[in-house]
Amino acid sequence: MRMEFRNEDRVDDVGDAVRDVFGDGGFLLRNGHSLLRPDMYVGDAISEGDTVEAIPDPEALFMRRV
């Protein structure tokens, strides 16, 4: 899925868009080998052409099994 955000948007805004599409299943956003913190700005964490992955959050998966 391709999305565009402004540099001044927060990574949490990206997370909100992912939750709207995939639901709130517990995930982390990763750019390459770096995990993106929700309080980071898109312009500081993501460059044009980067691929950001939404990966399952191991802690969320563990909490659902307990």
Side-chain angles (χ1 to χ4, degrees):
M1 165 186 313
R2 182 175 174 87
M3 295 181 178
E4 293 188 20
F5 292 89
R6 299 178 316 228
N7 287 338
E8 60 271 9
D9 290 336
R10 294 200 179 263
V11 169
D12 195 41
D13 297 326
V14 178
D16 289 343
V18 171
R19 275 187 282 286
D20 288 346
V21 174
F22 295 112
D24 193 19
F27 60 87
L28 301 169
L29 295 176
R30 180 174 78 178
N31 185 5
H33 294 287
S34 300
L35 292 177
L36 303 179
R37 293 186 331 266
D39 63 334
M40 298 173 83
Y41 288 101
V42 168
D44 295 334
I46 305 168
S47 298
E48 187 172 339
D50 284 355
T51 299
V52 175
E53 297 177 88
I55 58 174
D57 181 355
E59 289 184 10
L61 292 172
F62 176 75
M63 293 305 291
R64 278 190 249 160
R65 293 179 187 209
V66 174

